[in-house]
Amino acid sequence: MRKWSGLAAMCFLASSALAASAPPPDLMQARAGLSAALKANDPERIATYIYFPLADVGGFGSSTISRAQFLNAWKKKDYDVFTGVYDKPGNGSQTPGCFFNDPLTPDSRAPAGTSWSFGCNDDIYHFRKKNGRWLLTEVENIGE
């Protein structure tokens, strides 16, 4: 009997580890909402899925960007945080599937389950829970 209880415990631990590596449902909903806002090219709606100041915006020439800077730059179509989505926002270019489909993985730089990210082209998009909501908190340019 002990052999079976040990095996059952190992199976439980393995299934718990697998469950912990799956992104939370509310994170998946936030990513879907951000994706829909990007597809609609709606900067106000996009901004609701971003925690400002947005960190590590290498392509913008600053370590952070405010909501006002983001909206102004989006209007001018000169903001490249979402280069993985559009060559320049709103220019009608095709959206690569990587932004919408690449798997989220736990961020190894943060405590378990508190930060998730995915890579798309030369950027890594990081999500963290802020004020009870999953938001995009950092765009890390790894191509520079």
Side-chain angles (χ1 to χ4, degrees):
M1 184 68 172
R2 288 189 117 185
K3 194 176 203 177
W4 284 108
S5 63
L7 182 60
M10 286 179 16
C11 289
F12 173 77
L13 291 173
S15 66
S16 296
L18 286 174
S21 66
D26 54 341
L27 171 57
M28 297 305 292
Q29 289 172 337
R31 183 181 183 183
L34 175 59
S35 296
L38 285 163
K39 287 177 183 177
N41 194 25
D42 183 342
E44 289 288 340
R45 204 165 99 208
I46 293 165
T48 66
Y49 293 97
I50 299 174
Y51 179 80
F52 292 101
L54 182 61
D56 291 345
V57 185
F60 194 70
S62 173
S63 61
T64 62
I65 183 172
S66 71
R67 181 184 177 103
Q69 288 173 306
F70 170 80
L71 293 172
N72 187 46
W74 193 280
K75 251 191 271 186
K76 294 178 181 177
K77 298 184 173 110
D78 67 357
Y79 186 48
D80 66 355
V81 159
F82 294 106
T83 55
V85 180
Y86 303 104
D87 293 330
K88 288 209 173 203
N91 71 354
S93 64
Q94 290 294 339
T95 304
C98 63
F99 188 89
F100 305 102
N101 300 315
D102 275 13
L104 284 155
T105 58
D107 188 344
S108 61
R109 304 175 308 168
T114 63
S115 180
W116 293 77
S117 60
F118 69 92
C120 181
N121 297 334
D122 287 340
D123 294 318
I124 299 176
Y125 297 87
H126 298 271
F127 293 83
R128 289 203 170 113
K129 208 164 203 176
K130 298 284 189 176
N131 303 320
R133 295 181 57 220
W134 285 99
L135 298 170
L136 178 66
T137 58
E138 178 182 350
V139 178
E140 179 183 359
N141 186 297
I142 57 173
E144 290 181 354

